[in-house]
Amino acid sequence: MLETERLRLRAFTQNDAENFAALNANADFTRFLGQGEPIDAAASWRVMATIVGHWQLLGYGLWLVEEKDSGRFVGRVGLLNLPGWPGIEVGWGIAPEFWSRGYAFEAAVAAMRWGFDELKLDELISLIHPDNQASKKLALRVGERFRNQQDVAGKWCDIYTIDRAEFYQRHPA
């Protein structure tokens, strides 16, 4: 578990399935993810199982993000390295009702710091849909820079990157 000023990043549990399914059923949330369409509760459960399995197999993954004060489900943020990925990704996905509060930035920086501190990573990337301007702005805000555009698992992505030195220069301890 990680904590920031306003957020708690923790492991997913079976009790999170309903909130996670509601997030994945939201067209605004899924617009730039996967096939760009909402998914049903059964598919969402499989995604959640993949997240839990990612932790088991690789020792890192996505955390569920919740508000510390209220306990409300906010989204998911963390590290991914799925088959075909060109590196370890810091990814973020915040429920639309929490957009524009700085939660994605706060959680992403915490996840990135954890990756550099605990996993001793040299670099993190973000795979961003070419039309997702909000995520591109966030990538720049956390200190990433555009590297290139490439096909990743059958989809064109803009790839942003940050190395350890750049991160600590931007976000000193």
Side-chain angles (χ1 to χ4, degrees), residues 63-100:
W63 286 276
L64 177 136
V65 179
E66 62 187 9
E67 289 181 316
K68 278 176 27 178
D69 290 344
S70 69
R72 291 190 324 168
F73 174 90
V74 170
R76 82 312 180 264
V77 171
L79 308 178
L80 287 170
N81 193 7
L82 298 173
W85 255 228
I88 298 176
E89 176 186 17
V90 57
W92 45 79
I94 301 297
E97 61 265 29
F98 295 102
W99 289 353
S100 301

Side-chain angles (χ1 to χ4, degrees), residues 38 44 102 138 158:
S44 181
L138 180 57
D158 287 352

Side-chain angles (χ1 to χ4, degrees), residues 15-123:
N15 293 335
D16 299 314
E18 187 175 325
N19 285 329
F20 194 56
L23 179 65
N24 287 316
N26 184 309
D28 291 329
F29 177 77
T30 60
R31 179 175 174 205
F32 298 116
L33 300 173
Q35 301 303 312
E37 297 289 332
I39 59 174
D40 65 21
S44 181
W45 193 94
R46 288 189 294 276
V47 170
M48 193 171 75
T50 298
I51 291 169
V52 171
H54 195 286
W55 276 99
Q56 184 67 32
L57 293 170
L58 299 178
Y60 59 88
L62 293 174
W63 286 276
L64 177 136
V65 179
E66 62 187 9
E67 289 181 316
K68 278 176 27 178
D69 290 344
S70 69
R72 291 190 324 168
F73 174 90
V74 170
R76 82 312 180 264
V77 171
L79 308 178
L80 287 170
N81 193 7
L82 298 173
W85 255 228
I88 298 176
E89 176 186 17
V90 57
W92 45 79
I94 301 297
E97 61 265 29
F98 295 102
W99 289 353
S100 301
R101 296 186 190 186
Y103 285 172
F105 174 81
E106 192 173 320
V109 169
M112 294 165 79
R113 184 175 306 284
W114 185 86
F116 287 124
D117 288 351
E118 300 299 321
L119 300 178
K120 309 298 184 208
L121 299 175
D122 293 323
E123 177 186 64

Side-chain angles (χ1 to χ4, degrees), residues 92-153:
W92 45 79
I94 301 297
E97 61 265 29
F98 295 102
W99 289 353
S100 301
R101 296 186 190 186
Y103 285 172
F105 174 81
E106 192 173 320
V109 169
M112 294 165 79
R113 184 175 306 284
W114 185 86
F116 287 124
D117 288 351
E118 300 299 321
L119 300 178
K120 309 298 184 208
L121 299 175
D122 293 323
E123 177 186 64
L124 286 166
I125 65 170
S126 291
L127 307 176
I128 301 176
H129 188 287
D131 296 332
N132 190 341
Q133 298 305 316
S135 276
K136 289 179 184 185
K137 286 180 186 175
L138 180 57
L140 295 173
R141 187 170 173 223
V142 300
E144 292 181 304
R145 58 185 160 37
F146 177 77
R147 180 169 77 191
N148 67 316
Q149 189 177 74
Q150 73 182 68
D151 182 303
V152 178

